[in-house]
Amino acid sequence: MTIQFKALPTDHVRGLQRGGPDAYGNTPERKISDGDGVPCRHCLKNIDAGDAYLVLAYRPFAELQPYAETGPIFLHAEECERAAGSQVLPAILESPDYIVRGYGRDNRIVYGSGGVIPTEAIAARAETLFERDDIAYVHVRSARNNCYQCRIERA
């Protein structure tokens, strides 16, 4: 099976970069990167030291429901190119491990699908999850802070 790591959609990101409200209705906060651990969820690259970035609340679900987790993410403050869907592990995944968890077509967590997975095993874990009919997509989240990193879909 082939998978694709997917970045946030450009139309949504552009709205945030232009001052649109985050998931809580707030204007994203603008900061300057120190170059350490500031991953952009749109280009899937780390934000270089000295570059401006946004901190905002993000909910990767269309509607509110009990499993629609909201949390902080970072984006380049200036427009960046969306990372193309790829089988290659995104550059932002630099930690030793991440939470990898499956979601159903109803956008709810599929119980028993989540785990803390070594970074080099994320793709293999996603492929295993996609062998299940009840998994529609997978999230990669920080194992330390539960922050959303990216989505994995079947190619």
Side-chain angles (χ1 to χ4, degrees):
M1 173 177 297
T2 307
I3 61 167
Q4 284 194 335
F5 291 90
K6 304 290 271 194
L8 297 186
T10 299
D11 58 342
H12 185 69
V13 170
R14 292 294 181 257
L16 294 162
Q17 289 169 326
R18 294 173 184 151
D22 69 6
Y24 293 144
N26 296 320
T27 300
E29 297 177 9
R30 189 178 177 97
K31 307 281 185 187
I32 301 298
S33 175
D34 64 4
D36 184 28
V38 186
C40 178
R41 278 35 173 233
H42 184 250
C43 65
L44 299 182
K45 296 177 184 173
N46 287 305
I47 300 168
D48 292 332
D51 286 352
Y53 69 97
L54 303 175
V55 181
L56 59 114
Y58 182 70
R59 186 184 68 242
F61 303 94
E63 67 240 359
L64 290 174
Q65 41 93 355
Y67 296 92
E69 298 163 291
T70 303
I73 65 163
F74 307 127
L75 294 172
H76 277 101
E78 304 303 322
E79 292 186 4
C80 58
E81 285 293 315
R82 182 180 191 225
S86 172
Q87 290 179 268
V88 177
L89 201 66
I92 64 169
L93 300 181
E94 296 180 325
S95 291
D97 49 26
Y98 288 87
I99 296 169
V100 177
R101 183 167 52 221
Y103 292 79
R105 285 169 205 65
D106 60 357
N107 296 313
R108 282 151 162 73
I109 294 168
V110 176
Y111 283 100
S113 69
V116 177
I117 306 298
T119 303
E120 67 275 5
I122 290 172
R125 178 62 181 157
E127 288 181 355
T128 298
L129 289 173
F130 284 134
E131 291 173 1
R132 297 174 53 166
D133 291 336
D134 58 344
I135 304 286
Y137 58 91
V138 172
H139 279 182
V140 179
R141 292 175 171 269
S142 165
R144 305 310 172 277
N145 301 307
N146 197 35
C147 299
Y148 175 86
Q149 303 296 313
C150 63
R151 179 172 164 142
I152 304 174
E153 297 177 356
R154 292 174 176 90

